[in-house]
Amino acid sequence: MDTLEIIHPGSLTTVQDLGRNGYQQYGVPVSGAIDSYALRLGNLLVGNSEGLPSLEVTLFGCRLRFLADATIAITGADLSPTLDGKPVDMWNCTTVKRGGILAFSRLKSGCRAYLAVGGGISVPVVMGSAATYVRGHIGGFQGRALRAGDVIRTIRFEGSIPVARIPSGYIPNYASNKIELRVTLGPQDDYFTDNGIRTFLNSAYTVSTQADRMGYRLNGPRIQHRAGADIITDGIPLGAVQVPGDGLPIILLADRQTTGGYTKIATVISPDIPLLAQAKPGDEVAFRKVTQDEAFLALQAYEQRIQQLAKLLGPDTVRFDNV
Amino acid sequence: MNNGSPHFLAGGDSAIFVEFGNTVSLELNQRVHNLKLAIQRQRVPGIIETVPAYCSLLVYFDPLQIHPDKLRQTLRRLVDQPQESTISRPRLIEIPTAYGGDFGPDIEFIAKHNGLSVDEVIKIHTGTHYPIYMIGFMPGFPYLGGMSPSIAAPRLETPRSKIPAGSVGIAGTQTGIYPVESPGGWRLIGRTPFRIFDPSREPPSVFQAGDYLKFVSISPDEFASIQAKIEQGTYAVKLNSI
């Protein structure tokens, strides 16, 4: 079913899901929504299973027209979404009539919004995923970012729309210009001096202008290595904090290369990745060390909360698991 | 062969590195591939995927399906009790390659730089079975070992902005193949018509880490005929067990 027509893609609009697993062994990045929390909640709000493909809308300028009636939810950054000129209630389910025009005109907080559509967006599955890896021309809509004139299909929506509203505690506050990211040290924390580790954990860093889906390069105090920043190339987990020879940290995200040859001082824990995904150049980032056990408990609590919400929003969500 | 216990290094809450050592060697790399194979064969629940590198295997997992402590125990068992069926058996993959001319504009430089003739460069380059230590850097890019230092050469001072997919090049003492069109600074000596990486194929890469590559010299006419076969979908790459 043709559902959406891109009038203007804005800064960057791509189709994303929860990423492409199993192909990093061939050098293919995971990709997927960099704020996976917002993507998952958006899907739950429209009655989809949580990982269905949605649009990731970056910064501002995206405008699209509905070619069919649809149920949508907008989550993530507040990019001042309007439907036919009227503000749309975010983190909520909205029905749109054929011909409706949705626009993201102005950035208020965060930097990436997610548009979930009841039934889910339909693009060819490449290596098990709908996620777009723009650099490698892989997946999504013809392997690329969306352009004016593109028509996006969706799967026919046959479920019922959840009636419950999302409790306000589930809506993140992206308005702060300061975030704290919890990290576990390693895998190569032993390549840094004690002083270097202290610098990393006790300093305020700022997001540089080199911040995209691949990674966020930070500015701030330089982190001291014991003897050089090079390692024998190995894999790069999501959230790895890589410190090359210049001593400045780079946090690696969804589109990160699968392997790399620089030291990784720490790894941002999974529940905190979405916070970083909404940070903008100039925002302040601080790191707080947690133990492996604390990281495990934090992830467990985070996932439980999402599952509770899935239950609250209705049993119908289960029906779409195999779509 | 180093049979010491591997180190486990944390990669956050959902990934763990199994590090067998800290050098580039075929023995260590073989242990990486053996563990990868053992994990695949055992279908350990909760393991999402693994990424082999020179001397470590990065294991992605869902800690809510398999607790990190349990995962470590399982990995240790798989390392300590190798089964005959989980010793990876490398394959040898032949890469038909047209050398020189437009396919390899830098081959004369490589020859001159090393005091060799172009034919000698080709003979040396095709005379080796190159181990694939890992795939990374870009989709489908093989990290090859084993190139003869007698055909080594520095990278270009100014990288080319566009290198055709399938280009075979040399950088320092490494040789490699560009899986897709991209910019790059390797000295180009030839090109294969074969698509070593194709997202629409399953698996997308014709080889996997642990396999070996051999370059086979072909003429420009053979390049054209193989290319035609590839477009018709009738070309089969040569795979041999070794």
Side-chain angles (χ1 to χ4, degrees):
Chain A
M1 183 169 60
D2 291 346
T3 302
L4 294 169
E5 183 190 349
I6 304 294
I7 301 169
H8 193 287
S11 312
L12 174 69
T13 300
T14 55
V15 176
Q16 298 294 348
D17 59 13
L18 291 177
R20 184 168 281 114
N21 287 126
Y23 294 88
Q24 290 193 81
Q25 60 175 310
Y26 303 119
V28 181
V30 178
S31 303
I34 94 163
D35 181 348
S36 57
Y37 179 84
L39 178 126
R40 294 168 73 183
L41 264 59
N43 275 318
L44 293 176
L45 280 165
V46 295
N48 291 344
S49 71
E50 61 174 46
L52 289 194
S54 303
L55 294 189
E56 182 178 274
V57 179
T58 316
L59 299 174
F60 45 80
C62 178
R63 282 163 64 80
L64 32 90
R65 178 184 292 116
F66 284 83
L67 306 176
D69 295 354
T71 309
I72 63 163
I74 300 165
T75 55
D78 186 350
L79 309 182
S80 318
T82 57
L83 185 62
D84 297 325
K86 294 185 205 79
V88 182
D89 200 8
M90 287 189 59
W91 302 91
N92 200 1
C93 192
T94 305
T95 48
V96 186
K97 289 281 165 218
R98 183 171 168 217
I101 289 180
L102 181 66
F104 298 86
S105 51
R106 199 167 62 81
L107 189 153
K108 274 194 193 147
S109 66
C111 60
R112 291 176 176 86
Y114 291 82
L115 170 64
V117 183
I121 282 167
S122 170
V123 290
V125 171
V126 177
M127 293 178 251
S129 166
T132 316
Y133 174 49
V134 173
R135 264 195 194 81
H137 313 291
I138 289 171
F141 188 91
Q142 299 174 10
R144 59 169 172 80
L146 295 173
R147 295 180 194 145
D150 288 346
V151 172
I152 315 286
R153 303 173 67 87
T154 62
I155 309 274
R156 187 173 295 278
F157 180 63
E158 286 168 351
S160 58
I161 300 160
V163 284
R165 274 193 74 110
I166 191 166
S168 60
Y170 278 92
I171 302 174
N173 173 18
Y174 303 124
S176 168
N177 296 322
K178 283 184 184 181
I179 55 169
E180 183 186 73
L181 301 175
R182 289 168 289 178
V183 295
T184 59
L185 288 183
Q188 281 102 24
D189 49 317
D190 57 333
Y191 279 63
F192 296 86
T193 62
D194 291 347
N195 208 9
I197 303 270
R198 268 197 298 276
T199 305
F200 169 63
L201 292 173
N202 299 331
S203 306
Y205 286 89
T206 51
V207 176
S208 78
T209 51
Q210 287 167 286
D212 60 17
R213 288 181 39 81
M214 187 173 173
Y216 273 46
R217 194 180 281 268
L218 307 182
N219 288 322
R222 289 170 198 274
I223 299 163
Q224 191 181 51
H225 291 90
R226 281 185 200 280
D230 293 354
I231 56 165
I232 296 174
T233 297
D234 65 3
I236 304 179
L238 176 64
V241 184
Q242 195 180 55
V243 185
D246 66 6
L248 294 175
I250 304 166
I251 308 174
L252 291 158
L253 297 170
D255 280 358
R256 69 195 180 282
Q257 63 276 34
T258 56
T259 59
Y262 292 120
T263 47
K264 297 173 285 293
I265 192 169
T267 314
V268 177
I269 70 168
S270 311
D272 288 359
I273 299 282
L275 287 177
L276 179 65
Q278 296 293 355
K280 297 180 293 297
D283 286 356
E284 204 175 292
V285 176
F287 297 98
R288 181 160 67 84
K289 181 181 135 181
V290 295
T291 63
Q292 287 296 135
D293 284 344
E294 287 166 339
F296 174 76
L297 293 173
L299 177 63
Q300 199 175 41
Y302 171 84
E303 290 296 333
Q304 274 168 2
R305 258 170 68 78
I306 294 177
Q307 294 323 313
Q308 278 161 10
L309 181 69
K311 266 188 209 139
L312 178 74
L313 291 179
D316 285 338
T317 52
V318 177
R319 290 225 305 259
F320 293 90
D321 278 349
N322 295 320
V323 170
Chain B
M1 185 163 169
N2 178 5
N3 287 313
S5 281
H7 289 110
F8 293 107
L9 303 175
D13 50 50
S14 306
I16 189 166
F17 291 85
V18 185
E19 195 183 72
F20 290 94
N22 209 7
T23 52
V24 176
S25 80
L26 279 175
E27 287 78 10
L28 288 180
N29 194 236
Q30 175 79 36
R31 296 187 72 195
V32 172
H33 301 308
N34 289 348
L35 177 58
K36 181 176 191 301
L37 192 64
I39 290 170
Q40 272 167 7
R41 290 275 159 84
Q42 298 265 324
R43 294 202 178 85
V44 181
I47 291 186
I48 296 165
E49 65 179 312
T50 60
V51 186
Y54 284 106
C55 41
S56 70
L57 186 71
L58 176 56
V59 179
Y60 284 84
F61 67 101
D62 177 356
L64 304 185
Q65 275 191 62
I66 184 166
H67 190 278
D69 295 340
K70 172 89 190 307
L71 177 70
R72 272 196 201 88
Q73 276 172 23
T74 306
L75 293 173
R76 195 164 279 131
R77 181 172 53 76
L78 291 176
V79 171
D80 289 346
Q81 300 166 7
Q83 306 288 312
E84 186 62 20
S85 65
T86 59
I87 293 171
S88 79
R89 304 258 175 246
R91 303 168 302 170
L92 178 67
I93 292 136
E94 288 189 12
I95 303 292
T97 305
Y99 287 90
D102 287 345
F103 298 119
D106 302 326
I107 199 162
E108 269 111 15
F109 175 89
I110 301 274
K112 206 177 280 173
H113 185 79
N114 290 288
L116 300 167
S117 69
V118 165
D119 282 348
E120 284 169 323
V121 172
I122 296 171
K123 196 164 171 236
I124 293 168
H125 194 257
T126 53
T128 304
H129 294 178
Y130 299 94
I132 303 172
Y133 281 105
M134 53 185 281
I135 299 172
F137 167 56
M138 63 169 92
F141 182 85
Y143 283 81
L144 303 177
M147 193 186 80
S148 166
S150 64
I151 52 172
R155 286 164 199 260
L156 292 176
E157 281 170 27
T158 310
R160 291 182 173 93
S161 58
K162 220 184 213 183
I163 290 174
S167 292
V168 175
I170 287 175
T173 56
Q174 271 192 299
T175 186
I177 310 170
Y178 282 89
V180 292
E181 183 185 284
S182 59
W186 293 46
R187 304 271 176 183
L188 305 183
I189 60 169
R191 196 187 308 164
T192 176
F194 189 67
R195 294 198 63 182
I196 61 167
F197 181 83
D198 179 351
S200 65
R201 221 166 36 200
E202 180 58 41
S205 169
V206 70
F207 37 68
Q208 55 191 26
D211 286 336
Y212 283 74
L213 282 193
K214 177 179 165 46
F215 295 95
V216 176
S217 178
I218 57 169
S219 67
D221 285 349
E222 287 171 300
F223 184 99
S225 82
I226 291 174
Q227 196 165 39
K229 280 188 194 162
I230 289 167
E231 276 160 24
Q232 292 158 10
T234 56
Y235 181 76
V237 74
K238 283 195 186 123
L239 300 169
N240 302 303
S241 53
I242 46 174

